[in-house]
Amino acid sequence: NEEGKQNETIVSRLRGVQPLEQLDLVLSQILSSVPLDLIPGENDPTNFVLPQQPLHPCLLPESARYTSFRTTTNPYHSEIGKVSFLGTSGQNIRDIMRCTLRKSLKTPCDALEMIVRFCHLAPTAPDTLGCFPFMMRDPCVVTDCPDIMFSGDCDAFETRLIDSPQYENKKTRLVCVPNFSKTGVAALVNLKDFSCRPISFGLDH
């Protein structure tokens, strides 16, 4: 009946809100001790095509109280202690892997290296990856090679240090950050020497 359908709709909406409330609680606890930038992903409540816009602060009211909390775009670019970071939530890497023969690119880290060498974050857009149609410039062109290039939502942790061909004596650390909800693994980068290692939180599934 009609009343039953309305109840199902309400329950469905509550189920959709609950994960955001849980995320807000976890982030607010983290923010009490360290700054945090939040990058939207493929299934988050923002626009679908790249570049994705930041999540609205009203979705995370407890976290938004902290001045150290920042919602950002995807792709993401920032400098931390004069170390430049550039990366995405992983949609571009998955699409590159999907459209490329495995003998050419065996792992997501190979795709990250290709991005650095060819200076473009989303070479498969707009053909097979949604991208906003810019007229005068392409925001996915990499004009300045970063110190740290990363991709989120990977199957496993992987990292390597490569020479940046466009710049003499410059190296770029590539980091594939695994899906945290599945692995409980995060990546820890040393800003002094660009070394990187995984850190496991031992999630129970």
Side-chain angles (χ1 to χ4, degrees):
N1 58 22
E2 191 65 26
E3 183 178 354
K5 291 181 179 179
Q6 290 179 352
N7 290 336
E8 288 179 4
T9 301
I10 293 173
V11 171
S12 178
R13 288 177 178 174
L14 288 174
R15 287 174 178 169
V17 170
Q18 188 178 14
L20 280 175
E21 292 177 346
Q22 293 174 349
L23 174 63
D24 193 22
L25 177 61
V26 172
L27 293 183
S28 63
Q29 293 173 346
I30 296 173
L31 283 161
S32 64
S33 56
V34 295
L36 189 146
D37 290 353
L38 181 64
I39 310 169
E42 184 176 11
N43 299 315
D44 289 329
T46 183
N47 61 302
F48 175 76
V49 299
L50 297 180
Q52 287 183 294
Q53 296 307 298
L55 295 174
H56 198 283
C58 73
L59 296 172
L60 305 162
E62 294 300 321
S63 301
R65 298 170 186 254
Y66 291 85
T67 57
S68 54
F69 177 61
R70 187 171 64 141
T71 56
T72 70
T73 61
N74 174 37
Y76 167 86
H77 177 263
S78 183
E79 285 196 4
I80 304 173
K82 296 184 179 180
V83 176
S84 59
F85 285 75
L86 178 63
T88 70
S89 294
Q91 297 99 312
N92 58 333
I93 297 300
R94 288 193 298 275
D95 204 60
I96 290 172
M97 298 297 293
R98 186 172 65 85
C99 297
T100 309
L101 295 175
R102 284 296 176 267
K103 64 180 181 181
S104 301
L105 297 177
K106 296 180 180 179
T107 70
C109 212
D110 292 334
L112 273 178
E113 183 170 349
M114 184 197 74
I115 284 174
V116 172
R117 299 200 180 283
F118 295 113
C119 302
H120 201 281
L121 276 172
T124 58
D127 296 327
T128 57
L129 180 66
C131 184
F132 189 83
F134 288 89
M135 294 291 293
M136 304 304 295
R137 66 181 185 89
D138 185 348
C140 292
V141 171
V142 181
T143 57
D144 188 13
C145 199
D147 297 310
I148 311 294
M149 173 75 79
F150 68 89
S151 170
D153 200 21
C154 296
D155 292 331
F157 172 82
E158 188 180 4
T159 185
R160 72 179 62 152
L161 189 65
I162 65 169
D163 293 316
S164 300
Q166 302 89 339
Y167 304 92
E168 293 184 4
N169 302 320
K170 179 163 185 177
K171 295 184 180 294
T172 297
R173 167 64 66 179
L174 308 178
V175 184
C176 291
V177 184
N179 185 312
F180 187 81
S181 65
K182 295 179 180 178
T183 65
V185 175
L188 196 62
V189 178
N190 188 322
L191 299 184
K192 293 182 179 179
D193 59 8
F194 298 171
S195 61
C196 183
R197 65 181 180 87
I199 177 170
S200 177
F201 290 84
L203 296 182
D204 295 325
H205 297 283

